[in-house]
Amino acid sequence: MATTALDPRFKYIQFGTEHPIFHGIDGIEAEEWVCAVRQKALSERKQRDDNWIADFASTCFVGDALRWYEDLDESIQNDWRKLRTALLAQWPAPADRGQAAPPDPQVQSVIIPTPAAAPPVNTDELVEQMEVARGIVGFPPA
């Protein structure tokens, strides 16, 4: 069984999902689902077998998406290339990609600069402070 890991690029489907379910929510879910089905096919070494992928995909539809799938012509149901084209046409990408999956606050997508180096240390002063602290050197007379 493959392990699933949260991927900040995906809003609906976890990366590495063994059986990605498609509900027909929106274009973002459709894109994620196509990617997840491709990942599954790759993990099964079936990425070039459109019929196998179409058969696997047919088991992933639920709700409104299942009803949509059942209304498709059989030639589309049985061919992954045609199926994914029909699916992405039915659930198109959002007009504004800014409406895509919200950023995950636990994942930083910006580059964090390296902090500046500390100023050089005056080693003579540091040694003197350490000697005073250990009682090696007395305090200067008042």
Side-chain angles (χ1 to χ4, degrees):
M1 179 175 197
T3 58
T4 59
L6 293 178
D7 187 321
R9 298 171 298 172
F10 294 115
K11 180 178 178 181
Y12 299 104
I13 300 172
Q14 290 185 330
F15 179 82
T17 299
E18 284 291 315
H19 200 93
I21 300 299
F22 183 67
H23 300 270
I25 297 169
D26 60 20
I28 298 298
E29 183 200 19
E31 292 172 0
E32 291 178 10
W33 182 79
V34 168
C35 288
V37 169
R38 284 180 172 158
Q39 290 167 356
K40 175 64 176 175
L42 185 63
S43 73
E44 298 291 328
R45 298 179 178 238
K46 299 287 189 177
Q47 68 271 21
R48 303 270 184 244
D49 187 343
D50 283 347
N51 291 332
W52 183 92
I53 301 171
D55 287 342
F56 172 75
S58 72
T59 68
C60 300
F61 293 101
V62 297
D64 291 338
L66 175 62
R67 293 180 181 281
W68 169 82
Y69 173 81
E70 292 300 330
D71 283 341
L72 290 174
D73 186 86
E74 192 172 323
S75 66
I76 296 172
Q77 291 178 349
N78 294 331
D79 185 318
W80 171 239
R81 290 173 195 232
K82 291 178 182 178
L83 178 58
R84 72 173 188 255
T85 300
L87 183 131
L88 293 173
Q90 178 70 22
W91 288 279
D96 177 13
R97 280 291 173 172
Q99 296 173 352
D104 186 335
Q106 295 177 346
V107 177
Q108 294 186 349
S109 61
V110 295
I111 298 174
I112 299 173
T114 304
V121 176
N122 181 341
T123 55
D124 293 336
E125 185 179 305
L126 183 60
V127 169
E128 183 180 331
Q129 289 174 354
M130 290 172 58
E131 289 174 347
V132 169
R134 291 192 304 191
I136 298 173
V137 177
F139 292 97

